[in-house]
Amino acid sequence: MDAQRAQGIAAPVPAGPAPTGPSAPVPSPVPGGPHIALRALAAAASGAAQLFALPPYDLWWLGPLSAALLAWALLGTRPRRAAWLGLLAGAALMVPLVRWQDVFGADVWLAIAALETAFFIPMGIAIALAMRLPGWPVWTAAVWVLQEAVRARFPWGGFAWGKLAFAQPDTPFSGYAAWGSSALVTFMVALTGGLLLWAVLRIARAPRAALLPAGAAAAGVAAVLGAGIAVPSIGAPTVDHTATVALVQGNVPGIGQMSILGERMQVLENHVDGVHELADQVRAGEIEQPDLVVLPENASDIDAYADPQAAAMIDDAARDIGAPLLFGITRYSDDGSEREIRSVVWDPEDGPGDHYTKRQLIPFGEYIPYRDLLTPYIERLGQIPSDGVPGTEPGALELGGTTVAAAICFDIAFDPPIRESVAEGGQIIVVPTNNANYNFTGQTDQQLAITQLRAVEHGRPAVVAATSGVSAVVAADGSVQYRSPEAEPAVHAAELPAMTGLTPATRLGA
């Protein structure tokens, strides 16, 4: 009976009392139920499918399959078994997904992977229980959304990496971002997987009687995909004006090696040289005069507010290009114990002006939680001598007649920073970032996919400027119009529509 209920169909009334409650077993429609080894294999395959749906593999259609495989592995299980099956699925995803964190040490990588995997334990239990309800594909999809929402907030502000939604940057599912942010995209991906599994279970139970239900499930999946393509055009933002936006990728001396003052100066020189190169191309008639130029996070890790030489170099570059720069500068406190990671509007005439301060800082990377308690025991924490201080204001900045919506690096993975910047008037999304530690690891591709989804979510084109790649220009439909090489200098200019009007996702949030 419980298996029939899990399939959303009526069950005959039993002659005697039947086990009820959360701990009552829910048998699978497969005679005898799948062997535990098959369940474990399906759970691991679910995590692997979600991994390969994400960049750099980009097999987006594996996203719904991931949700279906995990649901099948959990169907009919008690909470204890569901817990470790969820753990297995989470580990199969997270351990390889955040492999790029091993630049800080294998222990850091595995600790982060273990922490993120832990969220799949309650999710596995919740999915197993939700599958006892009528209409379970809806409830299991809601569980996916809940898991991602909690993981993106706790602990220390959360870590939003690896969402089902982030595998759908330019696919039939991405349009849902314009109506419900990444939460709605995840919900529709998981719902599609649930509908597919529901149809398979019906066919397995009664092949002859399953034609109509299977057809209904197929129609539901087609409707989900078709609506995802159509919804962004409903009430979409409109073009206010066009702006020529340039980006500079200056490159760094070595991957992630930016701790020595000489290397910091070299990074600054690389980026001002990139601005001068743009100016040379304008004078040669190779590109149009840009209205604004976007440079990466940490384009100057030297505090240009306090260092006259650094300020003079940026001044000279801004005057040469004749356009305001959005320049990534680290601003230190007087005693050097704290710093702000800023994107500063640097005007050719007036110098530094308005700025945006990064809001989503990386614990143990940009600041040390419980510093006084932990540093005596973990020597490596001493390599981060100052703590980043998060910003609190949206990044709506005016440059050259266009208001940009700024989000620095990992800001883009979280819903509020970019949404609030667009709501405050941002017309083009800009994402200054420093991924020098992570070249050729897939991390930069994963972050670009998130930016693509944000472009659809808010109906704005986006410009990514990275120190060493990947820099990119993304259209409002999520498609990539330009992509730089990694670990090489690059400059690029594009004429982009500056948009007005807000999508439902921008107005309402996730």
Side-chain angles (χ1 to χ4, degrees), residues 304-387:
Y305 291 93
D307 189 297
Q309 181 183 2
M313 293 169 65
I314 300 172
D315 268 332
D316 185 47
R319 285 193 293 267
D320 192 23
I321 193 63
L325 311 178
L326 187 65
F327 212 99
I329 295 173
T330 302
R331 177 67 164 127
Y332 290 89
S333 62
D334 291 340
D335 64 0
S337 64
E338 295 182 336
R339 68 188 189 280
E340 291 183 18
I341 302 168
R342 292 183 176 183
S343 282
V344 181
V345 179
W346 201 289
D347 186 82
E349 302 297 329
D350 301 325
D354 200 4
H355 69 273
Y356 168 71
T357 299
K358 186 176 184 179
R359 295 172 62 179
Q360 292 288 343
L361 300 179
I362 306 169
F364 302 103
E366 293 170 330
Y367 74 99
I368 306 301
Y370 317 118
R371 176 182 286 274
D372 293 341
L373 178 65
L374 296 177
T375 48
Y377 304 100
I378 306 175
E379 184 177 345
R380 275 177 299 169
L381 297 182
Q383 298 176 16
I384 306 171
S386 61
D387 284 326

Side-chain angles (χ1 to χ4, degrees), residues 269-312:
E269 289 177 355
N270 289 354
H271 286 91
V272 297
D273 287 348
V275 178
H276 290 304
E277 181 182 340
L278 273 174
D280 291 340
Q281 292 184 14
V282 170
R283 286 187 285 269
E286 297 173 5
I287 63 170
E288 294 292 325
Q289 168 66 40
D291 297 300
L292 63 136
V293 182
V294 183
L295 291 104
E297 174 191 23
N298 301 116
S300 178
D301 208 27
I302 300 171
D303 187 347
Y305 291 93
D307 189 297
Q309 181 183 2

